[in-house]
Amino acid sequence: GAGVSQSPRYKVAKRGQDVALRCDPISGHVSLFWYQQALGQGPEFLTYFQNEAQLDKSGLPSDRFFAERPEGSVSTLKIQRTQQEDSAVYLCASSRVRGEQYFGPGTRLTVT
Amino acid sequence: DQQVKQNSPSLSVQEGRISILNCDYTNSMFDYFLWYKKYPAEGPTFLISISSIKDKNEDGRFTVFLNKSAKHLSLHIVPSQPGDSAVYFCAASQGGSEKLVFGKGMKLTVNP
């Protein structure tokens, strides 16, 4: 498909486990964003890449969260030693220029 | 500290009538505003945007109005259709940063 894809769509992790969430942006989109959406809230910014460079990681809540985009295309958000408060939907978005961002369907993470 | 506020959690309108969704912001550095629509289990979908140099932008049934002095924007949907039933998010960004700051969202229900 031509849209942003994310995998897995659903992930259940036991507290303390590490998880890795994948994002495939729209081909040719330079910018890639990760957001966290808690239940009943709007998406909250986590981090942003332009090509392979991570330009802003000010929204990452702790050093347990790590994101990479080594070849400027696919990105992975990794959460180490998951906690219950990490339970949320993780959204990835990409854009070609500043302006509208195109979102994937999200990964719903549940930490038990 | 919510920089983008959607103070009404829900709105219900009759098919064919106008829907007006409101959004307030506190950061005077915001210069670009967007509206997204979200269906359950899907990512947000871009609807319409407006730059701070304009006070109105129209796209089909959707019009966004920006009042910079009041730090207020609104989305008008005319005529409303049952397929417009979704959660709507207002978002903003400021020059020099591509990250979006979202409101909490508002659930619109359009009754047939």
Side-chain angles (χ1 to χ4, degrees):
Chain A
V4 177
S5 61
Q6 293 186 246
S7 60
R9 290 293 311 277
Y10 302 91
K11 177 70 178 177
V12 179
K14 288 191 188 325
R15 189 161 58 95
Q17 280 185 333
D18 298 349
V19 297
L21 313 180
R22 177 187 169 107
C23 173
D24 285 83
I26 294 172
S27 177
H29 277 195
V30 168
S31 300
L32 184 146
F33 306 81
W34 284 98
Y35 292 85
Q36 180 191 60
Q37 186 175 16
L39 193 63
Q41 304 293 316
E44 289 198 6
F45 172 80
L46 292 177
T47 186
Y48 151 57
F49 292 85
Q50 194 168 88
N51 296 307
E52 68 277 7
Q54 190 173 20
L55 298 188
D56 187 345
K57 53 181 181 179
S58 61
L60 295 176
S62 78
D63 59 8
R64 297 186 295 104
F65 287 70
F66 172 77
E68 60 184 5
R69 194 186 185 199
E71 296 177 1
S73 179
V74 171
S75 177
T76 304
L77 176 67
K78 297 179 179 177
I79 309 174
Q80 296 177 323
R81 304 181 303 281
T82 52
Q83 304 294 314
Q84 281 195 316
E85 62 262 27
D86 300 335
S87 295
V89 175
Y90 290 85
L91 293 163
C92 176
S94 69
S95 70
R96 190 171 52 86
V97 294
R98 184 192 179 205
E100 55 258 35
Q101 296 176 16
Y102 296 86
F103 282 82
T107 295
R108 180 177 294 279
L109 173 65
T110 303
V111 182
T112 61
Chain B
D1 177 29
Q2 281 271 311
Q3 296 187 68
V4 176
K5 300 177 184 179
Q6 295 177 259
N7 293 318
S8 301
S10 63
L11 174 68
S12 183
V13 299
Q14 284 300 119
E15 180 178 6
R17 306 293 288 268
I18 184 172
S19 295
I20 300 176
L21 291 73
N22 294 305
C23 178
D24 297 290
Y25 62 96
T26 58
N27 186 345
S28 58
M29 300 299 291
F30 286 147
D31 64 353
Y32 192 71
F33 304 88
L34 308 90
W35 284 94
Y36 281 84
K37 177 169 79 172
K38 187 181 182 307
Y39 294 119
E42 294 183 13
T45 302
F46 170 76
L47 265 181
I48 192 169
S49 63
I50 188 166
S51 163
S52 61
I53 62 173
K54 295 185 174 182
D55 55 17
K56 176 182 173 182
N57 189 27
E58 192 171 350
D59 183 2
R61 296 186 298 115
F62 303 92
T63 303
V64 56
F65 295 92
L66 175 62
N67 182 333
K68 287 188 292 294
S69 61
K71 294 193 181 68
H72 177 84
L73 64 155
S74 60
L75 174 67
H76 292 210
I77 307 174
V78 183
S80 301
Q81 300 174 352
D84 296 329
S85 298
V87 176
Y88 288 77
F89 291 97
C90 171
S93 70
Q94 65 182 73
S97 172
E98 293 197 32
K99 72 180 185 185
L100 297 180
V101 180
F102 283 84
K104 287 188 176 182
M106 191 187 80
K107 183 175 182 180
L108 173 66
T109 303
V110 180
N111 300 303

